[in-house]
Amino acid sequence: MKLLVVGSVAFDAIETPFGKTDKILGGAATYIGITSSILGVKSGIVSVVGGDFPQEHLDMFTNRDINIEGIEIVKEGKTFFWSGKYHNDLNTRDTLATEVNVLENFDPKIPDSMQDAEILLLGNLHPGVQLSVLEKMNTRPKLVILDTMNFWMDSALDILMDMIAKTDVITINDEEARQLSGEYSLVKAAKKIHTMGPEYVIIKKGEHGALLFHDNKIFAIPALPLEDVFDPTGAGDTFAGGFAAYLAKKGKFDFETMKSALIVGSAMASFTVEKFGTERIQEVNESDMFGRLRQFKELTTFDVELQ
């Protein structure tokens, strides 16, 4: 199945307790596209960059068989830029700079070659932009996956609710789930979010793993304990990319397949945090992925004898 990814292709400048970077490649669609290519899934990116965006990055996408017909280049504009500094626990961060630049007037254009995509993954953008993508598709994709954040809950709640109502799978973190639902219990929060439209609710808990909710079923996975954690930037996007790409590869959207997709997403995200930006995930191949999945299986498989 084809995977259509709509989201930012950007520059980041990152500082963590382990070092700092100058401007490096970032953006939700970037992480998602790279991750899907590792799984051998045909994907296309819809985004916008400025004339300052290097050709080498576009070539990297093309070399990974990522369709970039939907990446608009505004030659006189500048690419979206974000700079942040992470605290010692790597769970909290301060935003040092956000330059929206060409993303401010982003009007997604869906190339004809991706109009038949069966899976649509909407990265974290203004919900109005996300809705416009659905409206521009000739036919509704079989599966619509939505990523959003508390900023849009604060500033564009009404239109966000319209987008959520048209969503099959929503992926948010625990803080956002509580804000959206008004419930502290994540089980109650997921039930309330179900009533808003999504059939599947994924609640990310960072270093504590993720939860998948469907009807009255719950599936929980841990995060893989790692020796080296340098930079959590893009981990959530890599998670979403691995999740969506696995579903595209299998061509099934039932609960059992979603459970496996959740594990693949978490395994891929565990690579991203090991180096700055996209550096680590660009090194990963299929063999690395299978090795990481075996680690997950060993971490979570056990037998208990009850007498």
Side-chain angles (χ1 to χ4, degrees), residues 89-295:
D89 63 0
L90 293 179
N91 288 320
T92 53
R93 69 187 184 192
D94 298 321
T95 293
L96 303 179
T98 301
E99 298 173 12
V100 180
N101 297 329
V102 294
L103 203 59
E104 184 174 4
N105 299 310
F106 178 39
D107 181 21
K109 297 174 179 62
I110 316 299
D112 291 341
S113 58
M114 293 303 296
Q115 278 285 355
D116 59 344
E118 292 92 344
I119 299 178
L120 171 62
L121 175 47
L122 295 165
N124 179 24
L125 294 168
H126 190 289
V129 174
Q130 294 172 325
L131 271 172
S132 75
V133 174
L134 268 183
E135 293 166 357
K136 292 174 181 177
M137 299 289 288
N138 292 339
T139 56
R140 187 190 188 280
K142 294 179 180 178
L143 191 75
V144 176
I145 305 171
L146 173 71
D147 187 17
T148 190
M149 66 182 298
N150 49 10
F151 179 81
W152 306 121
M153 297 173 198
D154 294 332
S155 62
L157 182 60
D158 289 346
I159 194 166
L160 174 60
M161 294 303 291
D162 290 341
M163 183 62 242
I164 291 174
K166 300 176 185 298
T167 297
D168 300 306
V169 183
I170 185 171
T171 169
I172 51 178
N173 67 30
D174 46 0
E175 177 188 352
E176 294 157 352
R178 290 182 171 116
Q179 178 175 343
L180 183 62
S181 66
E183 298 284 355
Y184 180 80
S185 161
L186 294 180
V187 175
K188 289 182 178 179
K191 286 183 178 179
K192 185 167 284 189
I193 295 170
H194 273 310
T195 66
M196 300 173 186
E199 186 177 355
Y200 294 90
V201 177
I202 297 172
I203 300 179
K204 299 173 290 185
K205 293 167 58 64
E207 63 179 331
H208 302 297
L211 299 164
L212 171 66
F213 298 87
H214 172 62
D215 291 336
N216 292 315
K217 301 174 184 176
I218 304 174
F219 180 64
I221 62 167
L224 191 68
L226 299 169
E227 289 187 21
D228 298 312
V229 179
F230 279 88
D231 173 23
T233 309
D237 300 316
T238 307
F239 172 88
F243 174 83
Y246 183 82
L247 295 178
K249 201 170 183 70
K250 293 298 179 182
K252 296 190 296 183
F253 310 136
D254 58 275
F255 186 67
E256 291 303 312
T257 308
M258 294 258 180
K259 285 163 61 174
S260 297
L262 207 70
I263 293 170
V264 171
S266 189
M268 299 309 296
S270 72
F271 287 115
T272 300
V273 303
E274 292 180 326
K275 289 186 178 180
F276 283 105
T278 63
E279 184 180 358
R280 180 68 179 106
I281 198 70
Q282 287 196 56
E283 299 171 344
V284 175
N285 56 36
E286 191 178 63
S287 177
D288 297 326
M289 179 185 69
F290 286 131
R292 191 66 41 110
L293 287 171
R294 281 191 290 271
Q295 286 182 262

